[in-house]
Amino acid sequence: MKLSKKARSTMIQKSLETRKKFPISYFDSRKYIQHNVRLEDGLGPILQFMDDLPADSTSVIVCRAIEDGDYSVLHADYILGDWGPMVGFEIHRWEDDRIVEHWDNLCPTPTQKNVSGRSMTDGANEVVDLERTQSNKALVYEFTKKILVDRELSFLSNYFTDGALVQHSPHYGDGVQSFEAMMKAWQADGKTAYHRMHLLLGEGNMVLVISEGIFKNKPAAFYDLYRLANDKIVEHWEVFETIPPRDTWKNSNGKF
């Protein structure tokens, strides 16, 4: 039986740890587009990156995986050699059953859990409610546009049940009240803001949205993963990554 796209993407990420090169055959080397601006285009830089990682200090734990049409998405815990512990999202776009494009977003793993005692990757991981995929994606699109981009916080309660929110952000804790306080703090100092959405992907109760903005006054990519239940947001994970200066990029494809 043929493996799903998300299962094959999982094999690719695990190959960083196992050193098995077979999963690299899932890439189309003729078309491959790299959006990690710290890597050059093509499969050569990926193979070199794998070879450079020390075997005794490299590990990959895939915590969540979703698939949306031609896209597969992973949420993972890493230990990447000298980089140390990292949290990341990986997105692959498939064409003719081969990977032709890749995006990611990575940040160092915090040394402590957030104020609610949660890590950036623990929590629910089962994909259910497949029949609600489109309605859940529509709700997260509306939430991102209205609340995060347009900052119309008066509508915030529409997206949650009784102010409940399981929060995995390292910046604040559980509850909509805590999220609202953080949003207001961002508005007040003007150093962190969402400017626009670029991509929204979902499967069942899990929806990931990729946005562009500024984080602490630096250009940034925001990856926000939401779990939904009964047409409400109930859990949230994130990875924020600042985008290096354009003259340091190793490819010309851009972060998005």
Side-chain angles (χ1 to χ4, degrees), residues 71-90:
Y71 294 86
S72 51
V73 177
L74 303 181
H75 184 208
D77 265 323
Y78 296 100
I79 298 177
L80 297 174
D82 292 341
W83 289 9
M86 306 286 288
V87 177
F89 285 100
E90 308 285 340

Side-chain angles (χ1 to χ4, degrees), residues 4-13 22-35 42-43 46 70-74 90-103:
S4 66
K5 294 180 178 72
K6 61 186 178 182
R8 284 176 281 169
S9 285
T10 297
M11 290 175 63
I12 289 168
Q13 295 311 119
F22 171 75
I24 301 301
S25 66
Y26 297 137
F27 290 91
D28 188 333
S29 60
R30 300 164 301 170
K31 300 181 179 180
Y32 184 64
I33 301 169
Q34 175 65 261
H35 291 278
L43 297 189
I46 295 176
D70 293 330
Y71 294 86
S72 51
V73 177
L74 303 181
E90 308 285 340
I91 300 174
H92 293 131
R93 183 175 68 83
W94 300 69
E95 190 176 283
D96 298 326
D97 213 37
R98 305 282 293 282
I99 292 169
V100 296
E101 199 162 6
H102 168 256
W103 300 259

